[in-house]
Amino acid sequence: DAEITQSPRHKITETGRQVTLACHQTWNHNNMFWYRQDLGHGLRLIHYSYGVQDTNKGEVSDGYSVSRSNTEDLPLTLESAASSQTSVYFCASSESGVWTQYFGPGTRLLVL
Amino acid sequence: GESVGLHLPTLSVQEGDNSIINCAYSNSASDYFIWYKQESGKGPQFIIDIRSNMDKRQGQRVTVLLNKTVKHLSLQIAATQPGDSAVYFCAGLGGSARQLTFGSGTQLTVLP
């Protein structure tokens, strides 16, 4: 069955370190998204991509970057982790022209 | 921009009763809405969606109602079951960026 996976599921890192969170989908969806989820804020969009080599900034993109070298993967990099980036991160994907997004299981990140 | 919120952060219902979860939005140009269910430790799961040219849409045990006049939508769950206990989010599509904006969620607890 097609699915979307994230790794690691849990990560503890230190302030200033570079961290990369992986997202892999086998739906063959062109659209992929990264969100963060914090108490009281709902899901907030970090970056998104509509296809290979396409990346766009979302609402809360500062301190994050993404790259899209193939259809299946959209890794999220925290260039220099900050305590304010402690959060749960969700990756999602959708078909081109379809707004229904399918979410991965999430990565819980703690920055000390 | 779009603002999407939920009326109540928590809702408790007796098993077997119907549940109604409410959501308000600010952008009258929003033309598509989705409801997601998120169980503890998991990613959001698609429940049902509705376009702005509809007032009502039904799924299996769920109904979404859209009132564009007051910019309000609701999710009704019939015969609520213990497995329905989760956080429910609404998301709306609007704004120039054409991205989903998520509400902060309602925690539904089903009492035995």
Side-chain angles (χ1 to χ4, degrees), chain A residues 42, chain B residues 3-10 20-25 34-36 72-75 87-91 102-107:
Chain B
S3 173
V4 176
L6 288 162
H7 287 182
L8 292 174
T10 62
I20 300 176
I21 302 171
N22 296 300
C23 182
Y25 62 95
I34 303 179
W35 280 98
Y36 282 94
H72 177 274
L73 66 157
S74 65
L75 177 71
V87 176
Y88 290 82
F89 298 91
C90 65
F102 289 81
S104 55
T106 290
Q107 172 70 59

Side-chain angles (χ1 to χ4, degrees), chain A residues 72-83:
Chain A
E72 296 80 18
D73 300 288
L74 187 70
L76 176 71
T77 297
L78 287 67
E79 304 294 344
S80 177
S83 57

